[in-house]
Amino acid sequence: DNGSTDGTAEVAASYGARVVPCPEKKSVFYARQVGADAARGEIIAQADADSIYPPDWVSRIADLFATRPDAVAVTGRFVYKDPPIWAGLEYRLRKITNTLSQVLLGRPMIISGATFAFRRIDFIASNGYYGLTYAADQYGIATRLQQHGKVRYDDKLKVITSARSVEKPFSRIIFDFACHIGKWARYCSKCTLAGAGDFVTRSNSRRLTVPVSVMLIGFLVYGYVVPQSTAFGKVYSEAPTHEKLIALTFDDGPNEPYTSQILDILDQQGIKATFFLVGKNVLLYPSVAQRMVQDGHLIGNHTYSHIANHALTISDKDIALTQDVIQKTTGLTPHFYRPPHGKKSPWEIEELKRQQLIEVTWTVSANELRGSTALSIANKIAGSSDPGEIILLHDGYGTDHNIPQANKSLTVATLPLIIDQLKAKGYRFVTVSELLNIPAYNEH
């Protein structure tokens, strides 16, 4: 009891708990240390008074230690009782960070102090919480305990906790996050300096904190931003072939009159292409989507609203709604999906698997908004294309239709030049389905 005023100590005592008073210093870490010093069992479990624990919480912890003798500590996760709107994103980021750090660091990076247990003998040997300066009852103690064995993460060791610590204005949350990053940076700097002296002798977790953290962040950014990356799962951006096959793809349509003008050019040239459609745009121009199918082109899912960071906040309803809109409009259920801006996340790829969709990006982009002339864009595309590649062009601009960026006259002017130059090099144009040899549609 660290001087509580809400009756927690009295409630605990009424259930037969031994209450250890420690009012001398107000600190969560100090209170946890005093409690651990007074503990008599072989395993010490940390809990919070404002959290709800499942009936099998203690037995699950005991089983984890019994079945994993190399474990010095086990940790789980928490969910909010009354979650804020961004809670889902936080859960996912925590999970992917812990999964990756378990591989790279040998232990979870984000420890939940509300559901954390460790062996008493190793806690004493590591000097407990004494002298820890950064996230003492989470990252700090886990780092120390790792020197004596494995720190294990169990996704099913879940508790429900209060959201009171995050019930604040969003600006305050951003400020607190910035302060936390600052503390983390200072801690990493101190660790790097402390580890410099023994760099040539042996490895230690403190010294590796900075480079491993940089590698981890770099890996996450690469997987998220780079369209061709397969860091989070299977993504198709080209086909392994020496045949001179190439696929033209168009994003963000339908968008009139430009989509129809593109369809006219493709029809004149006898070429079949792939169009990744935005759900809202299909509702706006249903006849154009129907014409794509009638002309023999392939259509795919490009989300309903084309949100820039759709991969982070992905909703199963958004993808399913787009599938439904396209199916009702054209009679076909797409098998291919393209993320807005090529951004991906592990949970997005998992959701696509659940909905029987395949993620397709590209290897060559026209970048029409940055191009100066139709000829310069065509020269760039033709000069950088190889057999089996997927070319990205745009016949729209998200869900916007009356702004300068949605004017795709440049794309319309560039398309014939791209086709002529690639045909001159001996290329044959196919749909993504033909290129990858994967069915174009799912059964409804």
Side-chain angles (χ1 to χ4, degrees):
D1 178 20
N2 195 218
S4 62
T5 59
D6 60 0
T8 300
E10 291 77 7
V11 172
S14 71
Y15 278 92
R18 180 164 63 101
V19 179
V20 181
C22 57
E24 302 82 14
K25 178 182 177 182
K26 288 296 182 71
S27 165
V28 173
F29 315 138
Y30 172 68
R32 292 204 192 280
Q33 182 66 52
V34 171
D37 289 340
R40 298 169 181 172
E42 295 180 5
I43 297 171
I44 298 174
Q46 290 186 173
D48 283 348
D50 60 353
S51 297
I52 302 170
Y53 292 79
D56 66 340
W57 186 68
V58 172
S59 60
R60 186 170 186 85
I61 288 173
D63 289 342
L64 286 169
F65 280 109
T67 56
R68 298 183 176 181
D70 63 337
V72 295
V74 296
T75 187
R77 62 188 179 96
F78 65 82
V79 295
Y80 296 115
K81 183 180 179 182
D82 300 308
I85 58 174
W86 43 261
L89 175 60
E90 179 184 341
Y91 299 155
R92 288 164 177 160
L93 290 176
R94 284 176 176 269
K95 183 175 181 179
I96 187 61
T97 299
N98 277 340
T99 301
L100 291 174
S101 63
Q102 189 79 62
V103 175
L104 298 175
L105 294 175
R107 69 170 179 82
M109 175 73 75
I110 303 174
I111 304 297
S112 173
T115 176
F116 185 54
F118 43 81
R119 297 187 191 276
R120 183 171 179 270
I121 187 172
D122 296 304
F123 177 79
I124 294 173
S126 62
N127 201 32
Y129 293 111
Y130 294 113
L132 290 174
T133 58
Y134 178 78
D137 68 336
Q138 299 176 15
Y139 181 86
I141 189 62
T143 302
R144 279 190 174 176
L145 288 170
Q146 189 185 25
Q147 299 173 10
H148 300 272
K150 296 287 187 180
V151 178
R152 298 289 187 180
Y153 173 75
D154 181 11
D155 192 60
K156 295 181 180 179
L157 196 64
K158 181 179 73 173
V159 302
I160 301 171
T161 194
S162 167
R164 61 185 174 87
S165 63
V166 294
E167 289 176 345
K168 58 186 76 172
F170 186 71
S171 58
R172 180 65 189 184
I173 293 175
I174 295 298
F175 176 77
D176 290 345
F177 178 74
C179 291
H180 178 73
I181 293 298
K183 291 178 182 178
W184 169 253
R186 288 194 296 272
Y187 173 75
C188 290
S189 299
K190 291 179 181 179
C191 290
T192 302
L193 293 173
D198 63 350
F199 185 82
V200 295
T201 57
R202 65 184 182 86
S203 174
N204 63 69
S205 59
R206 271 203 319 178
R207 190 183 67 230
L208 292 175
T209 297
V210 172
V212 170
S213 297
V214 171
M215 289 173 59
L216 178 61
I217 293 171
F219 176 80
L220 293 172
V221 171
Y222 169 77
Y224 177 63
V225 173
V226 178
Q228 301 81 21
S229 73
T230 57
F232 303 142
K234 183 63 178 176
V235 174
Y236 292 90
S237 58
E238 60 182 335
T241 180
H242 295 294
E243 244 187 301
K244 284 198 169 183
L245 301 177
I246 208 152
L248 289 175
T249 65
F250 298 86
D251 283 9
D252 298 3
N255 174 40
E256 287 295 86
Y258 312 105
T259 301
S260 288
Q261 292 170 1
I262 288 170
L263 289 172
D264 290 340
I265 293 170
L266 294 173
D267 182 52
Q268 293 164 8
Q269 296 276 1
I271 290 173
K272 306 303 179 187
T274 302
F275 290 82
F276 288 96
L277 309 182
V278 175
K280 284 186 175 181
N281 294 344
V282 172
L283 292 176
L284 189 62
Y285 299 110
S287 61
V288 180
Q290 291 164 358
R291 179 190 169 182
M292 292 175 183
V293 174
Q294 292 166 0
D295 286 359
H297 301 293
L298 186 151
I299 54 176
N301 187 322
H302 196 42
T303 75
Y304 185 75
S305 302
H306 200 274
I307 300 171
N309 292 302
H310 185 268
L312 293 180
T313 58
I314 187 169
S315 165
D316 56 342
K317 295 180 180 178
D318 180 282
I319 295 175
L321 178 58
T322 312
Q323 293 286 87
D324 185 60
V325 166
I326 292 176
Q327 199 283 327
K328 288 180 178 178
T329 303
T330 67
L332 300 172
T333 304
H335 191 194
F336 297 103
Y337 167 87
R338 175 169 284 170
H341 307 285
K343 296 176 181 177
K344 305 165 299 303
S345 68
W347 47 89
E348 174 222 40
I349 291 179
E350 284 301 313
E351 179 58 34
L352 294 179
K353 288 179 182 178
R354 195 182 70 79
Q355 298 200 35
Q356 297 181 311
L357 282 160
I358 292 175
E359 187 141 357
V360 175
T361 55
W362 61 87
T363 42
V364 181
S365 174
N367 285 324
E368 301 99 318
L369 293 177
R370 298 180 184 178
S372 55
T373 65
L375 182 59
S376 65
I377 297 174
N379 290 341
K380 173 193 169 186
I381 293 293
S384 57
S385 296
D386 291 311
E389 293 197 322
I390 297 173
I391 297 174
L392 168 66
L393 298 110
H394 291 83
D395 59 326
Y397 186 75
T399 57
D400 296 310
H401 298 274
N402 297 308
I403 61 174
Q405 295 93 326
N407 184 328
K408 295 302 172 183
S409 300
L410 181 59
T411 302
V412 173
T414 303
L415 182 57
L417 302 179
I418 294 174
I419 293 172
D420 289 344
Q421 290 194 33
L422 288 174
K423 276 187 174 181
K425 290 187 174 185
Y427 280 95
R428 183 164 63 90
F429 296 90
V430 294
T431 66
V432 167
S433 174
E434 295 169 314
L435 183 68
L436 301 177
N437 194 27
I438 295 174
Y441 302 104
N442 294 328
E443 292 184 9
H444 181 52

